[in-house]
Amino acid sequence: MEKKYAFGVDVGGTAIKMGLFDLEGNVIEKWEIPTDTSEQGKNVLPDIAAAVNKSMQARQIQTEEVQGIGIGVPGPVDAQGTVLRCVNLGWGRLPVAEVLSEMTGIPVAAGNDANVAALGEMWKGGGKGHQNIVMVTLGTGVGGGVILGGKILAGSNGAAGEIGHMTVNTHETEQCNCGRRGCLEQYASATGIVRMAKKRLAQDATVTVLRDIDPLTAKDVLDAAKAKDAVGVELLEQLGNTLGTALARISCVCAPEAFVIGGGVSKAGKILTDVIQKYYKEHVFPDLGDTAIVLAELGNDAGIYGSVKMVLE
Amino acid sequence: MEKKYAFGVDVGGTAIKMGLFDLEGNVIEKWEIPTDTSEQGKNVLPDIAAAVNKSMQARQIQTEEVQGIGIGVPGPVDAQGTVLRCVNLGWGRLPVAEVLSEMTGIPVAAGNDANVAALGEMWKGGGKGHQNIVMVTLGTGVGGGVILGGKILAGSNGAAGEIGHMTVNTHETEQCNCGRRGCLEQYASATGIVRMAKKRLAQDATVTVLRDIDPLTAKDVLDAAKAKDAVGVELLEQLGNTLGTALARISCVCAPEAFVIGGGVSKAGKILTDVIQKYYKEHVFPDLGDTAIVLAELGNDAGIYGSVKMVLE
């Protein structure tokens, strides 16, 4: 029977995004189910299997018509699709691809959520037309994904693309969530941007709209920069320098064709990619000055697109 | 006719290393020919073709018995085997694989010399048993090569693995050969080690054996560290910190199984890998603390081994 469909699944700590796609990557239907994290998350995969079955029954789709199920999870996944742990779900080591495939009778490919989102952006988003990209997701933390030759690079212990934990300041005294000090995440995540803003405000009494905002958010900082508030501009330049230098370092390693910038912070738009590009060009190996630095386009759907792309190979 | 042989070629600025191998990677014969850089290096490929033909004739090897010729060149090479330029040879853009293949009637694969050396070390040297390694060559400059899934990562403009030009100090005032400031090469190459030593000696009058040596070399600095000379030890720690931090940054991107340290500076041996490892562990994402950091084993032969490996795929 001809293969016509694929499912994309993006498991988050509170909700699981699901999508039914045709094999060209068009969404036929997308929906969410709650993430049941009780009992070490033992219901997560059965719930996904049930949701897939329900969708297939409703549309009279045969198992043989489904190319596969792709699934992104919030934890490290090795190149064989084994999840090493998912703290948010209560999972330890779990061969997710194998288990979900047994439950559904459908081939399954699993990947880390940030890596899968990067693959989605390469396929249908900001990185369209490229086969080699690095995505950097600026959210509560900083995530990353490295796509080479159109495929996710998993790396040892599934830890390739952990861009958020690249050391950017060896003199940092505060600790990152990972236990180290001076990680990119401490400066360039939404949380990090606020942290740096507060440090700047405490330095002196320079007049700025940022003093009157409580609670202060990363969006406030970037909005202030857009409004040409002096401290806002200074913080944006600092952010651009930190990110541009980090991206230049990444280029020395894998020389991607494009960087895709996503996550909540990237809603600031072109003002952000422009300032990153400025500092990137200043620090990067001269042959790599023209690497594209673009905005992500798929938002929260990047994960289901990338999941589907994994099973189309 | 059964394939039995492959040639490995490593083109340097003064000599071209050549090797005839069986398909298990055993050297049958190795020799050198001079590099003729006259007239924009137009004789280099004809000279190589002639050397290959001569070796085949001497051993009565038929063209059909040769699996291929692999060639490493001192310049950027893209994933298709096109050389983008080789300043030392006088070459501009040149489809080396295509041209040499036409001259010899044998399939040719071309790669950047540092990348090819990394592949050689993965296959038969310090990285044996791994498929994913990063090699860092500490010579006059700092070279690098990224091997993923057993293959060279070429990257955009053939610039993947340009580890020597990773920014390590954004406050550097002296210029790197690449035109930027603060590249790893300025601190961790043989030249960079001497530069840092001289800066240290100029700082104060601390007693050290290094003051009496002229001209000072990187080997002198590392020998002083081995002899527990206080300034020598201090410089070795500084070098370990610089390299360990750079390797930790590389791990965040591609999470290799092993780092292979080669080049003249690596002759210092275990004292060097130990100090790199110490600072690597301090800065790397916790899941990647166990990455092997090993010495290269093939010396100047890494290039011919790696060249052969390219054509065995």
Side-chain angles (χ1 to χ4, degrees):
Chain A
M1 201 174 265
E2 197 193 348
K3 302 293 184 197
K4 291 183 186 165
Y5 305 100
F7 286 93
V9 182
D10 185 16
V11 183
T14 55
I16 300 169
K17 291 188 74 89
M18 313 252 329
L20 171 64
F21 290 75
D22 68 23
L23 301 189
E24 275 71 53
N26 299 304
V27 181
I28 296 167
E29 186 190 3
K30 58 179 186 175
W31 71 102
E32 287 189 13
I33 60 173
T35 308
D36 177 359
T37 55
S38 67
E39 298 179 70
Q40 282 83 53
K42 78 176 181 59
N43 299 318
V44 172
L45 294 181
D47 287 354
I48 292 169
V52 164
N53 282 332
K54 198 171 148 196
S55 167
M56 286 168 63
Q57 275 169 18
R59 295 177 178 268
Q60 298 187 297
I61 295 172
Q62 306 300 309
T63 304
E64 297 72 30
E65 290 177 299
V66 181
Q67 170 85 23
I69 303 169
I71 176 170
V73 302
V77 181
D78 70 16
Q80 285 70 48
T82 296
V83 173
L84 306 180
R85 63 172 184 275
C86 280
V87 178
N88 293 345
L89 307 180
W91 291 355
R93 194 180 178 88
L94 187 64
V96 165
E98 200 181 312
V99 172
L100 187 59
S101 182
E102 267 174 33
M103 285 176 180
T104 56
I106 297 170
V108 176
N112 163 267
D113 54 1
N115 292 351
V116 168
L119 186 63
E121 287 288 343
M122 180 210 76
W123 190 33
K124 296 286 182 184
K128 212 168 166 176
H130 297 292
Q131 291 278 299
N132 303 288
I133 68 157
V134 173
M135 181 168 177
V136 182
T137 305
L138 308 172
T140 313
V142 172
V146 177
I147 308 296
L148 297 174
K151 289 177 196 297
I152 289 170
L153 178 70
S156 294
N157 293 328
E162 281 291 353
I163 308 300
H165 300 286
M166 179 179 279
T167 304
V168 302
N169 176 5
T170 52
H171 305 294
E172 179 61 67
T173 52
E174 289 180 41
Q175 206 167 35
C176 179
N177 289 325
C178 78
R180 301 295 189 237
R181 287 178 167 81
C183 295
L184 178 61
E185 180 162 299
Q186 291 182 274
Y187 308 87
S189 63
T191 326
I193 292 168
V194 171
R195 185 178 80 99
M196 295 312 286
K198 287 183 174 163
K199 282 183 86 147
R200 175 64 188 82
L201 293 179
Q203 253 174 39
D204 60 33
T206 311
V207 176
T208 160
V209 294
L210 297 174
R211 286 196 198 281
D212 309 322
I213 306 172
D214 184 41
L216 189 63
T217 66
K219 184 176 185 302
D220 297 327
V221 174
L222 293 158
D223 283 348
K226 281 185 195 174
K228 306 250 195 298
D229 175 275
V231 173
V233 169
E234 188 186 324
L235 289 166
L236 176 66
E237 291 285 323
Q238 191 181 68
L239 176 66
N241 196 346
T242 302
L243 278 167
T245 308
L247 265 46
R249 285 172 174 144
I250 296 170
S251 272
C252 290
V253 181
C254 66
E257 294 150 24
F259 287 99
V260 178
I261 314 295
V265 173
S266 74
K267 288 183 185 152
K270 196 168 174 302
I271 193 175
L272 178 65
T273 47
D274 281 353
V275 74
I276 295 173
Q277 192 144 40
K278 178 172 113 180
Y279 289 98
Y280 173 77
K281 277 177 186 284
E282 195 176 295
H283 291 294
V284 79
F285 185 59
D287 281 7
L288 295 171
D290 293 331
T291 314
I293 299 180
V294 301
L295 293 165
E297 293 175 3
L298 302 177
N300 292 331
D301 286 346
I304 54 174
Y305 278 95
S307 293
V308 165
K309 179 62 175 150
M310 278 196 293
V311 299
L312 294 185
E313 285 158 5
Chain B
M1 200 175 264
E2 197 194 347
K3 302 293 184 195
K4 291 183 186 163
Y5 306 101
F7 286 93
V9 182
D10 185 14
V11 183
T14 55
I16 300 169
K17 290 186 76 90
M18 314 255 326
L20 171 64
F21 289 75
D22 68 23
L23 301 189
E24 276 71 54
N26 300 304
V27 182
I28 297 167
E29 185 190 3
K30 59 180 186 177
W31 71 102
E32 287 189 13
I33 59 173
T35 309
D36 177 0
T37 56
S38 67
E39 298 179 69
Q40 281 82 52
K42 78 175 181 60
N43 298 318
V44 172
L45 294 182
D47 286 354
I48 292 169
V52 165
N53 282 332
K54 198 173 149 193
S55 166
M56 288 169 63
Q57 275 170 17
R59 293 177 180 268
Q60 295 185 297
I61 296 171
Q62 305 300 308
T63 303
E64 297 72 32
E65 291 177 297
V66 182
Q67 171 85 21
I69 303 168
I71 177 171
V73 302
V77 181
D78 70 16
Q80 286 69 47
T82 295
V83 173
L84 306 180
R85 64 173 183 276
C86 280
V87 178
N88 293 345
L89 306 181
W91 290 356
R93 195 180 178 88
L94 186 64
V96 165
E98 201 182 312
V99 172
L100 187 59
S101 182
E102 268 174 32
M103 287 177 182
T104 56
I106 297 170
V108 176
N112 163 268
D113 55 1
N115 293 351
V116 167
L119 185 62
E121 287 288 343
M122 180 211 78
W123 190 34
K124 296 286 182 181
K128 212 168 166 175
H130 298 292
Q131 291 279 299
N132 303 288
I133 68 156
V134 173
M135 181 168 177
V136 182
T137 304
L138 308 172
T140 313
V142 173
V146 177
I147 308 297
L148 297 173
K151 287 178 198 297
I152 289 170
L153 178 70
S156 294
N157 293 329
E162 281 291 353
I163 307 302
H165 300 286
M166 179 178 281
T167 303
V168 301
N169 176 6
T170 53
H171 305 295
E172 179 61 67
T173 52
E174 290 180 40
Q175 205 167 35
C176 178
N177 289 325
C178 78
R180 302 295 191 235
R181 287 179 168 80
C183 296
L184 177 61
E185 180 162 300
Q186 292 182 274
Y187 308 88
S189 63
T191 327
I193 292 168
V194 171
R195 185 179 80 98
M196 296 312 286
K198 287 183 175 164
K199 283 183 87 149
R200 175 64 190 84
L201 293 179
Q203 253 175 38
D204 60 33
T206 312
V207 176
T208 161
V209 294
L210 297 175
R211 285 195 198 281
D212 308 324
I213 305 172
D214 183 41
L216 190 64
T217 66
K219 183 173 186 306
D220 296 326
V221 173
L222 293 159
D223 283 347
K226 280 186 195 174
K228 306 250 195 297
D229 175 274
V231 174
V233 169
E234 187 186 324
L235 289 166
L236 176 67
E237 291 286 322
Q238 192 181 70
L239 176 66
N241 196 347
T242 301
L243 278 167
T245 308
L247 266 45
R249 286 172 174 145
I250 295 169
S251 272
C252 290
V253 181
C254 65
E257 294 150 24
F259 287 99
V260 178
I261 313 296
V265 173
S266 74
K267 289 184 184 151
K270 196 167 175 300
I271 193 175
L272 178 66
T273 47
D274 280 353
V275 74
I276 295 173
Q277 193 144 39
K278 178 172 111 180
Y279 288 98
Y280 173 78
K281 277 179 186 284
E282 194 174 296
H283 292 295
V284 79
F285 185 59
D287 281 6
L288 295 171
D290 293 331
T291 314
I293 299 180
V294 301
L295 293 166
E297 293 175 3
L298 302 177
N300 292 331
D301 286 346
I304 54 173
Y305 278 95
S307 293
V308 165
K309 178 64 174 149
M310 279 195 293
V311 299
L312 295 186
E313 285 157 5

